[in-house]
Amino acid sequence: MAIRTDTTARPYSGIFGLPKKLFVKLGILPFLLAIAIVIFAAMSDNFLTGRNIMNVLRQSVYLTIVSLGQMLALVTGGFDLSVGTILALTSVVGALAMASVHAAVPEAVWLAMAVGFLAGIGAGTAIGVCNGIGVAFFNVSPFMMSLGMASVGFGIALYLTGGVPVYGMPREFGDLFGFGTLAGIPLPIYAAVVVAAILHVVLYRTPFGRYVYAVGGNIKAARLSGIGTRSVLFRTYVLCAALAAFAGMLLTARLDTGEANIGATMPLLSIAACVIAGVSLRGGVGRLENVILGALFIGLVQNGMNLARIESYLQIVVLGALLILAVIADQIRLRYLASFKD
Amino acid sequence: MSRQAGKASQHRAGEGTEDHGYPCPLVQTVALTRDYPGIRALDNVDFSLRAGEVHVLFGENGAGKSTLISMLAGATMPTSGQILFRGKAVEFDNVHAARNLGISAVFQEFSLIPQMSVAENMFLGAEERRRGFLHSGAQTMKARAVLDDLDFRLDPTERIDRLSRAEQQMVEIAKAFRSDLSVLILDEPTASLTVHETDHLFALLRRLRKQDVGIVYITHRIAEIREIGDRVTILRDGRFVDTVDAKSTSEDELVRLMTGRVVGEVFPKVSSEPGDTVLEVRNLHTDDGSLNGVSATVRKGEIVGLAGLIGSGKSRFGKACFGAVGLRRGTVTFKGERIPKPTPRTMLDRGLLYLPPDRRDDGLMMMRPAFENMSLAAVGMRPFSNGWIVDGRRERKIAGALAERLKLAPPRLDRTTEQFSGGNQQKLMLARSLTSRFDLLIFDEPTVGVDVGTRSAIYEFIAELCEIGAAVLLISSDLPEILNLSSRVYVFFGGSIQVELAGDQINEENVLASFFEREAA
Ligand SMILES: Nc1ncnc2c1ncn2[C@@H]1O[C@H](COP(=O)(O)OP(=O)(O)OP(=O)(O)O)[C@@H](O)[C@H]1O
Ligand SMILES: [Mg+2]
């Protein structure tokens, strides 16, 4: 309790007016992007070259696709900690299937690839089916369910390979899906664009997309509006896993081996990408376009740090700190939003 | 600078105070202003509260009543202006600071922790202790004493999430009562209470008034103003309109001050020509035992009212018909088709819509834009979508038309629902009943927190729905609503129907008489 002497300062006056307005409107992400670009451009001459930009885009493809899936889970008010495992299991199963078909019928390259894709994505999606059943039908918390499945999936991936990388996939697989280009642009980038476009339609043009937001917005209201909330939740986790699995196959093509320990950082990074992009951890809020930007931002930071020769262990520190910073910034923004006229 | 402003308005507000012999109001606001993005919710409002009076705040939905009291209670901070407590300027940056001065508030939106018991909620932040440890036994006893005092029939050890909205309202009220009260603020406390609970609340308010507590009371029920109020301050569009005497100002005058125009009859004439039976329920029992053996019918083109005390089962019945409650026994027949296992989806597909009484908890997605809340129940159907793709443009057009029809203020459908005032949130939910052609509409407390002007608009459209052949089941604790609109009334008691009234039998006496246990006649 204190004597009030002055009225609240008028917002948006002075030189900080515009940035503040932008911050309140768009969140922290544009600023982080700008700061990151300036810093890395200053630290390394190679950073702002066309080649490197393309590199960043290509490297970010995997995280972007996984983050889009993660976003679905977050919007329904849950999350998926098993996305890393899904990547690993997909990679291992896909590679094993592809390699064995290739060994049996070496001339049928496309058959091998098709079988590999189906097996890999099927295996990854199966994890999502389990998550979905647990969360939607047995009311297990998404945290416990996906944490548990992360362990199950990782265990299976290690068991299948004994911890060694899987070789023996057709050359064409890596050449095409890992390193192939079309009109000078790497194929994985096209893949990400197509995935994002399809998902955009699903989220913003179909009733299902609306239901995803409704379940996260108020699950009781959704239920009383006749929305099959269980089915929506189930499909969300399956879709999330399918996206992660697809990313897993693309990454396998890039690495040319099936590995059980890829994707370990994916849960953290994908959640970070979403949160930095303004997806609410309480559900119901978040835009797809922003999530793509969020994933690109993380890709950019990783790339910049590599160019600046920052040690990889330190990089993990930076990413964790960024995540926390983003959450704090979001809180500040909410406070501004409540106290300013637009 | 602010001192000057203080003096100037002291003069204005002083006119009334001096001749009543109050030297200094208990609480006073000077040019209080509060901005929200894009909206000035409160604009230079001077308001004063004396010790020992019940001061009613009256105004349309979105007039700024809740905004005003939330600043008095420390829940939000003013953009500019001052609050004086016993003549001294104060600044609350949280509810706790206000509570320390004995200012206690019951907000429109509840602040209860669902996983905790009634008693734990009542003493949250002021727990009963013994040698530094929680002493839950004593706490439960104290809670029971307060509840008994209010004659609220609640078990202090019950968990909040097991209670209905009305019961939660009772806990909210009980929570605000403390020994060192100086100002009590009640934001639509009776919105979901029936006469019985309201009477007890009023008796208690009268007692507090004698103890020189200042009471700020917000209500949309005009009859309550005369019953409990001393002075009334009217707000319109965030601005102060007038402060008048509660006893000598007529209802019409109050409404005129509130809306700036003359509003005719609140209740429309409903011409009821019942047609075929739409809903027939036989011997319904729910899993949780809240209904035991309810049979009722609703016909095309009639409004059937469900009345009864809180916990009597009237609300449960509506939910059960919609398939949102597990049924143990009984049959539900809808439009001649026996529904073996009703679920919200099957009932909606057949043309039954249920709108829940608790908009925040069961009705609305607070973080989503307004138009999404309007279309929620119909977005997967025509005309909103063809089943696969949602027609966004048409959705907005329909939502815009509905907003206009229900006089949504402000009519900005891209705003998140949270940013609307309580009554306007209610309109967003009610708009759902117009998003498709429904054969039966179950409204549970449709006018909770809705102002008089809009209320008549809502009654109008309920009557219209009924005229075009829909059936309406109206569940309400607002007795005038039941008496004026229904062509038949079922009165519930203890999970079954106590009496069915029709035509001339529907009057206050008959309905109230059936609220309580009947002697075996
Ligand atoms: N958190 C918020 N953000 C933005 N605008 C808000 C917020 N809270 C209230 N408003 C706006 O402020 C105005 C006043 O709202 P307030 O809740 O005080 O109305 P009220 O008089 O209590 O109405 P009701 O009778 O419907 O409860 C409304 O126009 C509302 O849209
Ligand atoms: Mg209000």
Side-chain angles (χ1 to χ4, degrees):
Chain A
M1 163 172 133
I3 309 280
R4 191 160 196 154
T5 51
D6 199 359
T7 50
T8 315
R10 291 278 99 214
Y12 310 138
S13 47
I15 50 166
F16 292 118
L18 188 65
K20 212 174 218 171
K21 193 166 183 169
L22 275 179
F23 172 55
V24 171
K25 257 212 150 73
L26 303 173
I28 188 75
L29 188 53
F31 294 90
L32 288 180
L33 265 173
I35 295 171
I37 290 174
V38 169
I39 291 182
F40 292 129
M43 283 169 91
S44 159
D45 293 337
N46 295 331
F47 184 69
L48 273 185
T49 58
R51 247 191 64 159
N52 189 50
I53 301 280
M54 190 61 81
N55 226 354
V56 171
L57 287 178
R58 194 194 47 70
Q59 286 167 348
S60 308
V61 160
Y62 316 103
L63 179 61
T64 304
I65 297 176
V66 174
S67 301
L68 290 177
Q70 185 70 261
M71 171 195 159
L72 297 177
L74 286 170
V75 165
T76 60
F79 41 79
D80 190 343
L81 296 177
S82 63
V83 284
T85 285
I86 293 172
L87 243 64
L89 189 65
T90 302
S91 177
V92 165
V93 172
L96 282 174
M98 209 179 290
S100 52
V101 174
H102 189 52
V105 266
E107 60 281 7
V109 171
W110 283 98
L111 177 73
M113 284 200 275
V115 170
F117 257 101
L118 281 179
I121 291 182
T125 309
I127 302 256
V129 171
C130 296
N131 281 333
I133 291 175
V135 172
F137 298 100
F138 293 100
N139 295 330
V140 184
S141 84
F143 178 81
M144 278 326 292
M145 194 64 216
S146 61
L147 192 63
M149 283 314 293
S151 169
V152 170
F154 191 50
I156 295 175
L158 285 177
Y159 174 77
L160 286 176
T161 61
V164 264
V166 182
Y167 295 99
M169 288 177 286
R171 276 192 63 99
E172 290 82 351
F173 178 57
D175 288 349
L176 198 59
F177 296 100
F179 298 87
T181 60
L182 188 69
I185 298 174
L187 277 183
I189 294 184
Y190 289 104
V193 170
V194 170
V195 165
I198 294 176
L199 203 58
H200 192 275
V201 171
V202 169
L203 267 185
Y204 302 116
R205 288 287 156 77
T206 68
F208 171 73
R210 188 63 68 78
Y211 298 164
V212 170
Y213 282 97
V215 165
N218 184 344
I219 190 163
K220 286 198 222 160
R223 206 173 290 138
L224 288 178
S225 298
I227 295 169
T229 52
R230 289 179 194 283
S231 127
V232 171
L233 278 173
F234 175 74
R235 283 188 278 169
T236 299
Y237 282 93
V238 173
L239 196 54
C240 171
L243 287 168
F246 182 60
M249 280 318 286
L250 290 181
L251 195 55
T252 307
R254 181 77 192 177
L255 299 174
D256 232 349
T257 55
E259 303 218 26
N261 40 21
I262 57 171
T265 56
M266 273 298 170
L268 174 77
L269 291 185
S270 62
I271 291 175
C274 291
V275 170
I276 288 175
V279 178
S280 163
L281 289 174
R282 272 174 299 160
V285 177
R287 292 287 307 181
L288 176 134
E289 307 84 76
N290 297 350
V291 169
I292 295 175
L293 275 188
L296 285 180
F297 167 72
I298 289 182
L300 199 78
V301 171
Q302 284 180 321
N303 172 276
M305 290 193 294
N306 283 335
L307 288 184
R309 295 182 196 292
I310 293 174
E311 210 186 314
S312 67
Y313 296 137
L314 273 182
Q315 292 193 11
I316 305 178
V317 176
V318 172
L319 289 171
L322 269 177
L323 173 64
I324 294 167
L325 178 75
V327 176
I328 294 175
D330 202 47
Q331 289 301 324
I332 295 176
R333 178 166 153 257
L334 283 183
R335 219 173 298 156
Y336 277 143
L337 202 61
S339 62
F340 282 160
K341 264 173 92 105
D342 64 11
Chain B
M1 174 227 135
S2 57
R3 288 192 66 160
Q4 238 172 357
K7 252 188 200 157
S9 62
Q10 192 114 37
H11 182 68
R12 234 182 304 149
E15 286 168 6
T17 43
E18 267 155 38
D19 42 38
H20 284 78
Y22 292 100
C24 157
L26 189 56
V27 177
Q28 192 178 9
T29 72
V30 180
L32 204 63
T33 300
R34 167 77 207 193
D35 291 335
Y36 282 114
I39 247 177
R40 177 156 284 192
L42 208 64
D43 190 358
N44 282 297
V45 169
D46 300 332
F47 164 84
S48 74
L49 174 72
R50 298 173 192 147
E53 76 163 341
V54 176
H55 196 140
V56 178
L57 281 180
F58 194 54
E60 297 187 299
N61 293 131
K65 305 177 295 293
S66 300
T67 307
L68 173 59
I69 61 106
S70 71
M71 286 186 284
L72 295 182
T76 44
M77 302 261 289
T79 308
S80 67
Q82 267 194 324
I83 300 172
L84 309 179
F85 181 75
R86 295 193 206 278
K88 272 215 299 280
V90 288
E91 188 171 305
F92 306 127
D93 35 25
N94 55 48
V95 180
H96 206 72
R99 281 198 87 137
N100 282 342
L101 293 179
I103 302 178
S104 201
V106 177
F107 294 109
Q108 195 170 8
E109 307 303 348
F110 302 158
S111 46
L112 298 172
I113 298 176
Q115 295 83 3
M116 289 191 181
S117 74
V118 170
E120 281 164 347
N121 266 286
M122 283 171 63
F123 291 96
L124 199 63
E127 286 79 4
E128 203 61 33
R129 273 173 229 197
R130 200 166 52 183
R131 284 183 228 111
F133 293 101
L134 293 178
H135 188 28
S136 64
Q139 187 159 296
T140 308
M141 250 162 61
K142 263 179 100 172
R144 188 163 285 136
V146 175
L147 291 170
D148 284 349
D149 213 14
L150 285 158
D151 201 25
F152 286 170
R153 292 166 199 178
L154 287 176
D155 176 3
T157 57
E158 185 76 278
R159 267 171 60 140
I160 295 295
D161 50 10
R162 303 251 172 79
L163 303 179
S164 71
R165 176 173 168 93
E167 287 165 333
Q168 292 180 8
Q169 176 81 69
M170 295 171 7
V171 180
E172 263 311 326
I173 294 172
K175 201 175 139 187
F177 281 96
R178 299 165 338 135
S179 44
D180 55 346
L181 210 57
S182 64
V183 175
L184 178 63
I185 300 171
L186 299 161
D187 194 349
E188 300 187 37
T190 53
S192 21
L193 300 188
T194 59
V195 251
H196 176 72
E197 295 90 14
T198 306
D199 282 348
H200 282 278
L201 176 65
F202 284 0
L204 205 104
L205 292 186
R206 289 195 187 98
R207 235 160 57 211
L208 289 174
R209 180 157 61 181
K210 284 215 190 72
Q211 298 161 11
D212 263 355
V213 174
I215 298 163
V216 182
Y217 190 89
I218 300 181
T219 186
H220 285 297
R221 293 184 176 177
I222 236 177
E224 292 182 354
I225 295 183
R226 179 134 339 141
E227 193 178 344
I228 192 75
D230 294 309
R231 288 195 298 162
V232 188
T233 289
I234 296 108
L235 297 177
R236 194 196 305 152
D237 298 331
R239 279 187 218 104
F240 172 87
V241 176
D242 205 354
T243 298
V244 297
D245 185 73
K247 300 282 187 284
S248 62
T249 314
S250 71
E251 288 188 6
D252 289 348
E253 176 67 4
L254 284 173
V255 173
R256 192 190 60 74
L257 286 169
M258 170 178 109
T259 56
R261 62 195 153 84
V262 181
V263 174
E265 199 53 37
V266 175
F267 293 103
K269 268 254 136 319
V270 190
S271 53
S272 154
E273 282 162 36
D276 305 340
T277 301
V278 174
L279 178 74
E280 180 164 8
V281 176
R282 287 275 151 258
N283 195 26
L284 207 66
H285 292 254
T286 51
D287 277 343
D288 57 4
S290 56
L291 293 179
N292 29 61
V294 179
S295 304
T297 54
V298 187
R299 286 167 298 177
K300 246 174 105 119
E302 69 170 349
I303 301 178
V304 175
L306 301 188
L309 288 179
I310 291 163
S312 62
K314 62 180 193 301
S315 189
R316 208 72 186 157
F317 178 71
K319 252 185 145 164
C321 296
F322 188 54
V325 179
L327 302 180
R328 185 148 46 89
R329 207 155 1 119
T331 62
V332 176
T333 312
F334 190 68
K335 291 198 284 184
E337 178 192 0
R338 169 94 197 268
I339 316 280
K341 208 175 164 298
T343 66
R345 186 72 260 161
T346 54
M347 296 317 278
L348 266 167
D349 287 342
R350 285 169 177 72
L352 191 165
L353 178 72
Y354 162 86
L355 292 178
D358 188 339
R359 56 170 177 265
R360 203 186 174 85
D361 220 38
D362 300 332
L364 297 169
M365 310 173 285
M366 300 308 285
M367 300 303 289
R368 302 301 304 165
F371 74 90
E372 287 189 10
N373 270 307
M374 298 171 110
S375 63
L376 186 64
V379 74
M381 311 183 228
R382 282 181 197 287
F384 292 95
S385 77
N386 58 12
W388 293 100
I389 298 290
V390 178
D391 184 344
R393 201 165 319 139
R394 179 172 297 163
E395 180 185 18
R396 268 156 211 270
K397 221 173 97 197
I398 297 175
L402 291 179
E404 198 168 319
R405 175 147 183 210
L406 292 172
K407 304 197 187 76
L408 188 76
R412 289 167 50 178
L413 294 175
D414 286 320
R415 288 189 142 209
T416 58
T417 306
E418 206 172 37
Q419 292 175 303
F420 287 86
S421 77
N424 282 297
Q425 292 174 6
Q426 186 73 14
K427 293 184 205 168
L428 290 178
M429 192 170 75
L430 286 175
R432 273 182 212 155
S433 60
L434 298 169
T435 50
S436 174
R437 267 303 261 280
F438 295 107
D439 297 299
L440 173 62
L441 294 136
I442 304 180
F443 294 108
D444 198 347
E445 308 287 355
T447 54
V448 164
V450 172
D451 68 45
V452 190
T454 315
R455 206 175 265 241
S456 77
I458 290 174
Y459 296 148
E460 201 83 50
F461 98 61
I462 292 184
E464 259 172 56
L465 285 171
C466 178
E467 252 146 51
I468 59 171
V472 174
L473 200 58
L474 175 68
I475 305 168
S476 177
S477 50
D478 191 31
L479 207 48
E481 203 164 283
I482 294 281
L483 299 178
N484 283 291
L485 293 174
S486 342
S487 52
R488 275 189 307 132
V489 176
Y490 291 109
V491 185
F492 277 72
F493 180 85
S496 53
I497 290 175
Q498 174 113 311
V499 72
E500 177 184 347
L501 304 168
D504 296 342
Q505 298 173 306
I506 303 179
N507 57 40
E508 188 166 346
E509 205 177 329
N510 279 343
V511 174
L512 280 185
S514 327
F515 266 27
F516 300 94
E517 182 97 68
R518 277 276 174 88
E519 308 284 316

